[in-house]
Amino acid sequence: MARMSPWIIAGVGCLGVAALGVVGIGGLGLLVSKSVSEEMSKPLDKEAVLAKLKLPIHPKAQWDEDLTKSIRAGSVVASKFAKLEMATASFRLSAPQAEVKDWYKKTLTEKGYVFQGETQEKATTLKFSDKDDIITVSLAEPAVLMLSRMKVSGR
């Protein structure tokens, strides 16, 4: 019987590792998809979400349940992998972004949060912190407000 070339053995080994990688990535994708579907189908308790968020809501902001559910689904999946505690909520605005941005800078600073900075990419994001949490206020067009409170383990 003829000996098999080491190149063939290496090729078969690499092919096996690649196949395992594809199966692993597919399994992870299925797990994430299932988690998101489960979260989207769960009922949303507005009062519980706002109590966990513990942030003031702009007077011209109206609760957006569908967007809050979507963001919650993503944050729950992220928290499973990254060991985060996170509360998020979304609102529709009937006020100009500049007014809302100034209101949050003033209101959260008065409540003892430290303003960490502002970024402007697809949305304007204000970042605040206190001794335990990171707070983000995101303003996106058209008239969307997203609030989040995140506690990273070890902080």
Side-chain angles (χ1 to χ4, degrees):
M1 182 179 216
R3 286 184 43 122
M4 196 179 301
S5 166
W7 290 107
I8 292 175
I9 294 170
V12 169
C14 288
L15 184 62
V17 169
L20 286 174
V22 168
V23 168
I25 290 171
L28 181 62
L30 184 62
L31 177 68
V32 168
S33 172
K34 183 180 177 211
S35 293
V36 168
S37 296
E38 287 174 358
E39 287 302 318
M40 289 297 289
S41 66
K42 287 181 183 176
L44 194 60
D45 181 354
K46 177 182 175 181
E47 284 72 31
V49 170
L50 296 178
K52 189 174 179 184
L53 192 61
K54 297 185 274 187
L55 291 173
I57 309 302
H58 190 276
K60 294 183 181 175
Q62 299 167 340
W63 172 256
D64 186 329
E65 183 168 348
D66 292 335
L67 189 53
T68 300
K69 270 187 172 183
S70 307
I71 292 172
R72 179 186 72 171
S75 68
V76 166
V77 171
S79 67
K80 287 180 182 178
F81 293 106
K83 305 282 188 218
L84 299 173
E85 283 183 47
M86 188 171 194
T88 61
S90 299
F91 305 86
R92 294 287 172 189
L93 288 170
S94 59
Q97 276 194 10
E99 175 188 314
V100 176
K101 182 172 75 168
D102 291 343
W103 187 86
Y104 273 101
K105 282 182 179 178
K106 179 179 183 282
T107 304
L108 291 179
T109 302
E110 286 173 354
K111 291 195 171 286
Y113 294 97
V114 178
F115 180 64
Q116 299 291 320
E118 176 180 336
T119 59
Q120 289 185 333
E121 291 176 15
K122 291 182 181 179
T124 299
T125 302
L126 306 174
K127 185 177 171 185
F128 298 86
S129 66
D130 66 5
K131 62 183 168 86
D132 298 319
D133 302 315
I134 297 170
I135 308 300
T136 57
V137 176
S138 297
L139 299 157
E141 293 294 339
V144 175
L145 167 66
M146 291 174 277
L147 300 174
S148 68
R149 171 182 296 278
M150 180 173 45
K151 179 181 293 223
V152 181
S153 62
R155 181 171 176 167

